[in-house]
Amino acid sequence: MTTNTTEATPIEATTGGPTLPQERRLVTAIPGPKSQELQARKTAAVAGGVGTTLPVYITAAGGGVLVDVDGNSLIDLGSGIAVTTVGNSAPRVVQAVQDQVAAFTHTCFMVTPYAGYVEVAEALNRITPGDHEKRTALFNSGSEAVENAVKIARKYTGKTGVVVFDHAYHGRTNLTMAMTAKNMPYKDGFGPFASDVYRAPLSYPFRDDQMDGAAAAARAIDQIDKQVGAQNLAAIVIEPIQGEGGFIVPADGFLRALTEWCTANNVVFVADEVQTGFARTGAMFAVEHDDVVPDLIVTAKGIAGGLPLSAVTGRAEIMDSAHVGGLGGTYGGNPLACAAALAVLETIEADGLVDRAAKIGALMTQRLLDLQERDGRIGDVRGRGAMIAVELVRAGTTEPDADLTKRVAAAAHERGVVVLTCGTYGNVLRFLPPLSISDALLTDACDVLDEVFEVTK
Ligand code: PLZ
């Protein structure tokens, strides 16, 4: 491991967690020399298709900061794409994983099981929306869980069609590439893709003249009726707030109308909460904002504080329709990931992180709305809780400005604030701070954003 030996950097970046100094602190250019050296090695060793947004190499992280090999301390507004929601190396997670790794690392739940898997299933059955009887199956990645939700819905309904939406992101495996909307970089040249996947129009208030939720749902349902037919359709899969597609919050009533149509037509309604789940949006799950109870809910990312874990949770009769042995995988519900997940849930509750997400959202949204008043290039400020974005356009129009978005992100990175971009048009700057971040760091990050919008004029 490379330790920090730069004279100007007293930060001992070997242990992460919330006790790391909570400050933005730049001691080299970004990326610094050691990061650049590692990046050169990466180029020589790692497949070119695996990109990096910001090539600073991290040695420790926690609270609201990422510390790199050059001793820079950056403000984290990305949480490793909505994963370290409880914070990096959150103390309960560290302790639980350390205890588990010393006890046993793996047996394969399908061979000789262990309690952690069952406890995570019980917890998910309890905390996901709806008081019906539920079952859960555990997997490793978000994509894998989405695939399994589709398998289960097909088995249950005896039908095969799957409807997804414009701007959707569901993963990079073959079936989930078919379900993901955007060609570059996710799909280009990687086909042929899985069949029987159909795309319907979304509710995208900023880009559909603020069409109301009922009208947007009617438009989608009409297209589904005409182009697929409920009698051929196993599932509708939708992100309650789209993530990679641009942090698109559908108009009120859109999701609810879709669920009602699904219920009336024996179609399984699947909420992909991989990015929105686990307190991120100021509710445990984003569908709660819409008062929607999905048949199946897919979770990953924030579930286990950075350990790979994902889940499908839902109505017992649907989940149990798959034959014994039909669901599984060598590592699904790995003991370390399960221990981490239980510690994550405890942390969310003990630290009041659902409320914290709402407060972070209120603070950042106000700052971004103030900025929007001064800057016509911010077309839209949107999101829920600590899942917030600005959509950048040519001032006075809705024409996407991807180039500006790149420049703004780069200027933030240079100043030590890790932000991510997203959106079909590449023009959305998104913020996913860990819920362990302090108000002081958030305010500093917002000051930096004010500055970068100024210098990119
Ligand atoms: N569903 C809603 O957001 C993953 C992808 C990053 P995996 N999003 C980040 C990238 O470029 O690969 C995601 C998601 C939603 C499914 C997934 C897939 O989750 O754990 O990446 O497979």
Side-chain angles (χ1 to χ4, degrees):
M1 186 171 148
T2 313
T3 47
N4 167 24
T5 52
T6 310
E7 273 172 45
T9 55
I11 294 173
E12 256 298 316
T14 49
T15 313
T19 54
L20 270 183
Q22 295 298 303
E23 59 188 0
R24 180 169 62 97
R25 191 187 148 82
L26 297 183
V27 296
T28 70
I30 298 292
K34 288 180 184 163
S35 278
Q36 287 182 32
E37 212 179 294
L38 279 162
Q39 185 67 1
R41 285 168 55 192
K42 180 237 176 206
T43 304
V46 178
V50 184
T52 44
T53 301
L54 171 57
V56 296
Y57 283 74
I58 302 305
T59 57
V65 297
L66 300 162
V67 176
D68 75 9
V69 285
D70 291 288
N72 299 297
S73 174
L74 298 93
I75 301 179
D76 182 9
L77 297 187
S79 299
I81 323 190
V83 171
T84 52
T85 304
V86 297
N88 251 296
S89 300
R92 290 184 190 82
V93 174
V94 171
Q95 190 61 52
V97 173
Q98 282 175 344
D99 291 348
Q100 181 59 50
V101 78
F104 64 95
T105 48
H106 173 83
T107 63
C108 189
F109 190 74
M110 302 181 304
V111 180
T112 49
Y114 38 88
Y117 188 119
V118 178
E119 286 166 10
V120 171
E122 288 169 347
L124 289 173
N125 295 346
R126 188 177 65 249
I127 66 174
T128 50
D131 48 19
H132 49 276
E133 196 175 340
K134 294 176 207 150
R135 302 280 188 270
T136 287
L138 301 180
F139 305 96
N140 301 286
S141 67
S143 314
E144 194 189 357
V146 171
E147 292 239 2
N148 276 280
V150 171
K151 278 163 68 170
I152 294 164
R154 284 175 169 164
K155 185 83 182 186
Y156 174 71
T157 59
K159 302 185 278 184
T160 57
V162 176
V163 160
V164 290
F165 287 81
D166 287 333
H167 314 286
Y169 184 91
H170 298 291
R172 294 176 182 268
T173 57
N174 188 264
L175 173 59
T176 59
M177 273 194 291
M179 295 168 69
T180 289
K182 195 174 175 178
N183 178 50
M184 274 304 264
Y186 307 121
K187 303 165 72 162
D188 193 60
F190 296 148
F193 303 113
S195 59
D196 236 4
V197 175
Y198 306 90
R199 199 164 303 285
L202 185 73
S203 163
Y204 190 163
F206 180 64
R207 296 203 171 273
D208 58 19
D209 290 327
Q210 307 290 334
M211 181 189 288
D212 70 37
R219 176 177 67 176
I221 288 166
D222 184 54
Q223 185 167 318
I224 295 166
D225 266 333
K226 302 287 186 303
Q227 297 185 10
V228 190
Q231 66 276 23
N232 300 306
L233 188 57
I236 285 185
V237 183
I238 189 165
E239 300 153 85
I241 300 174
Q242 282 197 336
E244 305 306 305
F247 281 30
I248 304 164
V249 185
D252 276 352
F254 179 72
L255 293 175
R256 175 162 268 285
L258 291 179
T259 58
E260 283 164 5
W261 183 84
C262 282
T263 306
N265 288 281
N266 187 32
V267 172
V268 177
F269 182 86
V270 182
D272 178 346
E273 292 243 14
V274 167
Q275 192 152 160
T276 49
F278 300 101
R280 171 58 54 192
T281 66
M284 192 56 107
F285 297 101
V287 286
E288 293 168 33
H289 297 289
D290 297 273
D291 213 7
V292 154
V293 176
D295 296 315
L296 301 182
I297 178 163
V298 179
T299 53
K301 290 188 186 279
I303 191 174
L307 277 87
L309 185 69
S310 64
V312 182
T313 300
R315 294 186 188 281
E317 66 275 19
I318 301 177
M319 293 297 294
D320 281 342
S321 64
H323 48 279
V324 177
L327 305 176
T330 305
Y331 293 110
N334 167 273
L336 303 180
C338 287
L342 294 170
V344 161
L345 295 176
E346 195 189 323
T347 303
I348 290 174
E349 199 171 315
D351 294 358
L353 293 185
V354 173
D355 288 345
R356 180 65 192 144
K359 293 211 174 79
I360 288 171
L363 189 157
M364 280 203 82
T365 303
Q366 192 51 56
R367 289 291 303 259
L368 294 167
L369 287 171
D370 291 348
L371 187 55
Q372 185 186 33
E373 287 215 336
R374 305 192 299 272
D375 197 327
R377 300 170 304 169
I378 299 183
D380 196 22
V381 177
R382 60 175 179 251
R384 289 196 203 271
M387 182 172 187
I388 313 156
V390 289
E391 177 156 358
L392 305 185
V393 293
R394 294 196 201 288
T397 74
T398 56
E399 195 189 325
D401 195 341
D403 178 61
L404 170 66
T405 311
K406 272 199 206 95
R407 289 191 294 120
V408 165
H413 295 165
E414 262 170 41
R415 288 164 178 75
V417 178
V418 178
V419 294
L420 306 173
T421 62
C422 64
T424 296
Y425 314 108
N427 68 325
V428 178
L429 194 66
R430 60 171 155 171
F431 311 108
L432 292 159
L435 305 182
S436 52
I437 197 169
S438 66
D439 281 356
L441 279 182
L442 266 184
T443 302
D444 185 25
C446 289
D447 291 344
V448 169
L449 290 174
D450 284 352
E451 188 187 326
V452 302
F453 274 93
E454 203 52 48
V455 300
T456 51
K457 268 184 180 154

